[in-house]
Amino acid sequence: GDSVTQMEGPVTLSEEAFLTINCTYTATGYPSLFWYVQYPGEGLQLLLKATKADDKGSNKGFEATYRKETTSFHLEKGSVQVSDSAVYFCALRSGGSNYKLTFGKGTLLTVNP
Amino acid sequence: NAGVTQTPKFQVLKTGQSMTLQCAQDMNHNSMYWYRQDPGMGLRLIYYSASEGTTDKGEVPNGYNVSRLNKREFSLRLESAAPSQTSVYFCASSEALFTGQTYGYTFGSGTRLTVV
């Protein structure tokens, strides 16, 4: 079945540091890939997405590239801010699962001033 | 503001009590979902409704029932609450399927449920 594996946290960085959160997946067909962010006390919000190989999703300075050859969708940001502190979830929707998103377990990011 | 509204935000139940979590969306989405979020487990799908009038089990349906009351509303019921159901519950919705586009979900802000 479909599955998503993301690096375990927590991740603690200083402001303006470079961020990478690794995400790899197993899926049937050609999945669409997503990153969601959850700020404390809130629901998940879509951060970015990519629907086919080599697509790059980007939003708010975050980027992720759909790499079919390595089945990966790593999240990156060049310079994090304190306000980026949140839990980040990688997710996929495969062609065999029209309705459902499969989520990774989430990575807690804390950015210190 | 448009979005997904969940009620209540917090609830404490005694073992064996029942309750219904309410969810409503005003985006004219066809599909709706209930997830639970537990530490170290990520989000797990409980039930989903692809369209009005249909519901299906997800990964962890035991102990729950759902009702898709109309296009806007999708409720989750715990008939006899157990401590293992202590969790944060999220409702989500998404656009229609088979449109050739890929949509993410819109999530509600969650219900924090404690069963003692």
Side-chain angles (χ1 to χ4, degrees), chain A residues 31-34 36 38 40-46 49-52 87 89 92-93 95 97-106, chain B residues 31 33 35 37 40-43 45 48-51 57-59 88 90 94 97-98 101-110 112:
Chain A
S32 297
L33 302 173
F34 305 83
Y36 281 82
Q38 183 181 28
E42 299 183 10
L44 280 72
Q45 302 173 27
L46 179 63
K49 66 182 181 184
T51 59
K52 61 183 187 294
V87 180
F89 291 90
L92 71 84
R93 188 173 76 187
S97 178
N98 290 314
Y99 308 90
K100 297 173 288 184
L101 286 181
T102 299
F103 287 88
K105 293 184 178 181
Chain B
S31 301
Y33 315 82
Y35 282 87
Q37 182 179 31
M41 302 291 289
L43 276 82
L45 182 65
Y48 66 98
S49 172
S51 60
K57 296 179 180 179
E59 303 170 64
V88 181
F90 287 102
S94 68
L97 305 173
F98 308 111
Q101 301 187 51
T102 298
Y103 298 96
Y105 288 4
T106 300
F107 280 84
S109 57
R112 187 172 296 275

Side-chain angles (χ1 to χ4, degrees), chain A residues 26-106:
Chain A
T26 302
T28 55
Y30 300 95
S32 297
L33 302 173
F34 305 83
W35 276 101
Y36 281 82
V37 58
Q38 183 181 28
Y39 298 104
E42 299 183 10
L44 280 72
Q45 302 173 27
L46 179 63
L47 181 60
L48 53 84
K49 66 182 181 184
T51 59
K52 61 183 187 294
D54 300 324
D55 268 2
K56 177 185 284 188
S58 61
N59 186 25
K60 299 181 181 179
F62 291 89
E63 293 183 339
T65 301
Y66 188 145
R67 301 287 188 198
K68 191 173 189 299
E69 63 276 14
T70 55
T71 62
S72 65
F73 192 54
H74 304 321
L75 182 68
E76 296 182 336
K77 186 174 185 182
S79 177
V80 293
Q81 305 300 312
V82 173
S83 57
D84 293 326
S85 298
V87 180
Y88 292 82
F89 291 90
C90 186
L92 71 84
R93 188 173 76 187
S94 71
S97 178
N98 290 314
Y99 308 90
K100 297 173 288 184
L101 286 181
T102 299
F103 287 88
K105 293 184 178 181

Side-chain angles (χ1 to χ4, degrees), chain B:
Chain B
N1 292 334
V4 177
T5 303
Q6 290 183 236
T7 56
K9 293 190 182 303
F10 301 94
Q11 184 71 49
V12 178
L13 290 179
K14 294 182 179 178
T15 298
Q17 287 185 319
S18 63
M19 78 163 294
T20 300
L21 280 64
Q22 306 287 352
C23 175
Q25 53 90 9
D26 57 6
M27 297 169 287
N28 202 36
H29 285 172
N30 281 341
S31 301
M32 298 184 74
Y33 315 82
W34 277 105
Y35 282 87
R36 60 178 290 174
Q37 182 179 31
D38 303 292
M41 302 291 289
L43 276 82
R44 293 181 291 171
L45 182 65
I46 305 171
Y47 270 94
Y48 66 98
S49 172
S51 60
E52 185 179 357
T54 69
T55 61
D56 284 286
K57 296 179 180 179
E59 303 170 64
V60 289
N62 291 344
Y64 305 95
N65 284 300
V66 291
S67 296
R68 184 72 182 269
L69 304 171
N70 47 56
K71 190 172 185 179
R72 291 187 61 249
E73 299 173 285
F74 187 41
S75 62
L76 178 72
R77 183 161 179 83
L78 286 71
E79 291 291 351
S80 179
S84 61
Q85 294 179 303
T86 294
S87 187
V88 181
Y89 292 85
F90 287 102
C91 178
S93 67
S94 68
E95 284 276 7
L97 305 173
F98 308 111
T99 63
Q101 301 187 51
T102 298
Y103 298 96
Y105 288 4
T106 300
F107 280 84
S109 57
T111 296
R112 187 172 296 275
L113 175 67
T114 301
V115 183
V116 298

